[in-house]
């Protein structure tokens, strides 16, 4: 396994990554937003959605897969719904824009939902759901992905990793955040392992012939498929997220000349929702009761060998605070990819400039 080769300061690495994205043709404000997304993921220990994505995003920006001149368009609106066409904008840009509009509507109507079609990879889902919590709302964020996951009982890629995120405000306790792919592991965890030259657990996916594998190249390069978590349960949730994102947004719906429908596959789309707690119950009482629920869970009986029970998002919050204090340790593969990208873009900078 690769060892940490450099420890970087969170703010310095964000500025360096933003510089890379500006050199990749993205405007400065959007570049800082995308960089912030990746660094926030890294700080929370979600390395699969963190700085390992820098080289990919830079390539996508330069090739046009991410539209650096995108114009996000509102397609439709009602008192509590919105639909957007992202025009293949950087995911962080489209996602933050749509979530902001969703929150504004929820504060007026109590509950609001938005869809976004023609989108690109938006990083980790909690980046958007947490915005709602700042306004005393419950935030939800879903995204589809390109086909990477086999259905329960199969081994062909016909579904995305399709994560689900719900963020719930607490009182004295930290925000409860459930953010997880519906696959056994996010695709980018295999990508991260591939980049770092590490094996993967044999329950993450199958090779192209339907056999269990520990080689991440089987997933990343050779056409293998990820497995849904929890068998048919994860598979069912995966399919539901694809309906709420790709199909509900209209992104996956194509029309033949005769008016019949066909499915546009591998379309990335989002679904955001916000719930105003005050429309249902007293906000302070709600938060206090969430705290009590957390306390009850954490003080419950533990199995042998378990020192602490964590609630959803707690481990990530702990890592986030540690990263703020101590910086982020980068492994060789990720560090090398960032340095290679800097050299390719002929930027007068290096990872040394971001050292803690």
């Amino acid at each position: 396994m690769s060892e940490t080769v450099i420890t970087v300061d969170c703010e310095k690495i964000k500025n360096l990554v933003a510089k890379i994205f500006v050199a990749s043709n993205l405007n400065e404000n959007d570049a800082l937003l995308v960089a912030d997304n990746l660094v926030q993921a890294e700080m929370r220990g979600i390395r699969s959605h963190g700085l390992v994505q820098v080289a990919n995003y830079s390539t996508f920006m330069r090739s046009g897969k991410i539209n650096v001149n995108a114009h996000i368009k509102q397609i439709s609106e009602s008192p509590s719904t919105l639909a957007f066409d992202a025009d293949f904008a950087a995911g962080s840009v489209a996602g933050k824009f749509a979530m902001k509009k969703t929150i504004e509507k929820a504060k007026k109507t109590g509950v609001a939902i938005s869809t976004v079609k023609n989108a690109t990879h938006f990083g980790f889902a909690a980046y958007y759901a947490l915005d709602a919590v700042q306004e005393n709302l419950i935030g939800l964020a879903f995204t589809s992905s390109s086909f990477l996951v086999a259905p329960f009982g199969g081994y062909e890629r016909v579904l995305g990793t399709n994560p689900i995120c719900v963020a719930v405000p607490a009182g004295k306790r930290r925000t409860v955040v459930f953010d997880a792919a519906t696959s056994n592991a996010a695709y980018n965890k295999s990508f991260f392992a591939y980049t770092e030259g590490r094996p993967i657990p044999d329950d993450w996916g199958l090779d192209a012939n339907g056999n269990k594998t520990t080689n991440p190249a089987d997933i990343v390069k050779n056409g293998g498929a990820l497995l849904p978590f929890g068998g048919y349960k994860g598979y069912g949730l995966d399919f539901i997220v694809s309906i709420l994102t790709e199909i509900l947004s209209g992104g996956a719906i194509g029309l033949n000349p005769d008016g019949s429908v066909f499915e546009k596959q591998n379309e990335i789309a989002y679904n955001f929702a916000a719930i105003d707690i005050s429309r249902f119950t007293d906000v302070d009482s709600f938060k206090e009761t969430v705290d009590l629920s957390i306390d009850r869970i954490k003080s419950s009986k533990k199995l042998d060998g378990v020192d602490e029970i964590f609630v959803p998002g707690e481990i990530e919050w702990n890592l986030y605070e540690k990263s703020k204090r101590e910086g982020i340790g980068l492994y060789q593969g990720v560090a090398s990819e960032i340095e290679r990208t800097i050299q390719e873009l002929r930027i007068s900078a290096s990872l040394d400039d971001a050292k803690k």
Side-chain angles (χ1 to χ4, degrees):
M1 179 174 175
S2 300
E3 299 294 331
T4 299
V5 294
I6 184 173
T7 299
V8 294
D9 176 82
C10 299
E11 194 65 25
K12 289 178 181 177
I13 191 63
K14 182 177 81 172
N15 291 332
L16 176 59
V17 172
K19 194 171 185 178
I20 290 171
F21 293 154
V22 168
S24 304
N25 304 318
L26 196 61
N27 70 69
E28 187 172 355
N29 287 337
D30 289 354
L32 279 167
L33 185 61
V34 179
D36 182 63
N37 185 324
L38 299 186
V39 172
Q40 291 267 351
E42 197 80 33
M43 292 174 73
R44 285 171 165 78
I46 313 170
R47 292 183 178 271
S48 57
H49 289 62
L51 297 173
V52 70
Q53 297 296 328
V54 171
N56 272 346
Y57 278 17
S58 174
T59 300
F60 294 160
M61 290 169 192
R62 286 178 280 157
S63 68
K65 187 171 182 179
I66 291 176
N67 184 359
V68 296
N69 299 308
H71 296 286
I72 301 169
K73 297 177 274 296
Q74 182 175 302
I75 302 167
S76 66
E77 179 180 13
S78 79
S80 59
T81 65
L82 287 159
F84 298 100
D85 183 329
D87 194 25
F88 303 100
S92 302
V93 177
K96 283 287 191 179
F97 178 82
M99 192 60 182
K100 179 182 178 182
K101 297 294 185 181
T102 307
I103 290 168
E104 289 172 357
K105 276 199 174 291
K107 291 170 76 173
K108 292 177 181 178
T109 65
V111 177
I113 298 175
S114 67
T115 61
V116 183
K117 70 177 182 178
N118 295 328
T120 61
H121 188 265
F122 78 177
F124 74 112
Y127 192 64
Y128 312 96
L130 284 168
D131 287 350
V133 172
Q134 301 304 313
E135 303 292 333
N136 282 328
L137 310 177
I138 295 171
L140 298 90
F142 309 86
T143 182
S144 64
S145 79
S146 56
F147 288 173
L148 297 163
V149 182
F152 180 66
Y155 66 93
E156 183 181 356
R157 295 180 172 192
V158 291
L159 291 164
T161 54
N162 298 1
I164 294 171
C165 179
V166 181
V168 181
K172 295 179 181 179
R173 288 285 190 173
R174 289 168 170 155
T175 298
V176 177
V177 185
F178 176 80
D179 183 358
T182 51
S183 53
N184 233 5
Y187 168 80
N188 284 318
K189 288 190 175 182
S190 292
F191 178 73
F192 181 70
Y194 175 78
T195 302
E196 293 298 324
R198 295 186 287 108
I200 58 174
D202 69 1
D203 62 350
W204 282 14
L206 307 172
D207 66 19
N209 296 313
N211 302 308
K212 287 187 174 183
T213 182
T214 59
N215 182 0
D218 285 332
I219 307 297
V220 177
K221 292 288 186 182
N222 302 329
L226 294 169
L227 289 167
F229 83 86
Y232 74 92
K233 294 181 180 180
Y235 157 55
L237 287 173
D238 193 330
F239 190 27
I240 291 300
V241 173
S242 73
I243 292 170
L244 293 175
T245 54
E246 299 163 339
I247 300 177
L248 186 61
S249 71
I253 299 173
L255 293 176
N256 292 308
D258 64 0
S260 60
V261 173
F262 69 91
E263 182 188 14
K264 293 195 293 183
Q265 298 182 354
N266 281 317
E267 292 294 312
I268 293 180
Y270 318 142
N271 183 311
F272 299 109
I275 302 169
D276 185 348
I277 297 163
S278 70
R279 303 299 184 101
F280 300 90
T281 189
D282 177 73
V283 175
D284 289 337
S285 297
F286 175 89
K287 289 181 174 181
E288 288 176 17
T289 308
V290 171
D291 283 352
L292 290 172
S293 298
I294 293 171
D295 292 341
R296 173 171 50 80
I297 291 168
K298 292 188 68 66
S299 62
S300 64
K301 295 176 182 178
K302 304 170 185 63
L303 292 170
D304 290 343
V306 174
D307 294 324
E308 183 176 3
I309 294 172
F310 296 98
V311 294
E314 187 176 5
I315 291 173
E316 289 80 4
W317 283 120
N318 291 343
L319 290 170
Y320 177 79
E321 295 297 334
K322 182 179 179 182
S323 296
K324 284 201 297 187
R325 296 190 307 269
E326 301 177 11
I328 299 166
L330 298 185
Y331 295 121
Q332 181 64 63
V334 174
S336 297
E337 282 293 292
I338 292 174
E339 288 287 14
R340 180 190 62 76
T341 304
I342 288 171
Q343 292 168 13
E344 191 174 298
L345 293 168
R346 298 181 180 178
I347 300 171
S348 57
S350 76
L351 275 175
D352 286 339
D353 300 327
K355 277 185 177 178
K356 179 69 175 176

